[in-house]
Amino acid sequence: MKFLRLNAIPLLGFLVLSSSIFAATPDFQKDIQPLMTKYCVECHGASKPKAGVRLDSYDAIIAKSRKQSVVPGDPDKSKIVMTMTGAAKLMPPKKFTPRPTTEEIDLIKDWIKAGAKK
Ligand code: HEC
């Protein structure tokens, strides 16, 4: 029994560690909105948004979107991901800097995969 108990300690540590790495679903306010503000809102804000696509608030991105900007659960069908990865017309447009990093795009994908909650 003593042997078993000792072995359970590192296993427990691993479980705690891995759940804190994998279970963290990105949060809209904390993780996603700042990326939109940084890369997209300059052209997709409330006034005269390009292509009629507004990305300046949760409601604008999800509820009021006419362009499937986000399809909850399906990042590959979500225009904001498709445009960032180049699967659709590249966004931000080519010459615009800074550009979102792969890590930032993955964060947005994870958020959408998890249901794109507010
Ligand atoms: C420098 C201005 C600018 C920035 C920054 C920008 N866009 Fe755009 N966006 C445009 C323009 C212009 C269009 C219309 C392009 C067209 O139809 O030819 C557009 C169109 C779109 C569309 C509609 C495309 C379609 O196929 O219907 C989406 C979705 C989009 N942008 C998402 C984004 C996202 C997501 C970001 C940030 C990562 C972003 N844009 C950043 C200028 C911008």
Side-chain angles (χ1 to χ4, degrees):
M1 275 315 276
K2 194 170 184 192
F3 173 77
L4 255 183
R5 236 182 291 139
L6 279 176
N7 267 297
I9 292 168
L11 179 65
L12 200 67
F14 173 75
L15 288 177
V16 170
L17 196 71
S18 55
S19 65
S20 64
I21 291 169
F22 297 115
T25 303
D27 176 75
F28 181 76
Q29 305 284 343
K30 187 164 78 61
D31 303 310
I32 308 302
Q33 183 130 45
L35 296 179
M36 294 291 118
T37 304
K38 185 171 173 191
Y39 298 113
C40 315
V41 170
E42 183 174 331
C43 303
H44 295 285
S47 94
K48 299 193 189 146
K50 302 286 187 203
V53 174
R54 275 186 60 181
L55 301 171
D56 57 314
S57 71
Y58 183 87
D59 286 345
I61 293 171
I62 303 271
K64 300 202 179 106
S65 171
R66 288 168 294 141
K67 292 258 185 182
Q68 295 200 303
S69 296
V70 167
V71 178
D74 198 344
D76 294 337
K77 289 212 175 78
S78 300
K79 273 276 168 67
I80 64 167
V81 172
M82 292 168 69
T83 52
M84 279 191 244
T85 59
K89 192 179 182 94
L90 190 66
M91 287 288 148
K94 251 197 191 110
K95 291 195 178 122
F96 187 87
T97 50
R99 307 202 57 83
T101 65
T102 310
E103 288 76 22
E104 287 171 333
I105 296 172
D106 283 346
L107 199 68
I108 293 171
K109 284 186 187 167
D110 287 347
W111 171 69
I112 294 173
K113 251 185 238 158
K117 302 253 163 48
K118 198 167 190 171

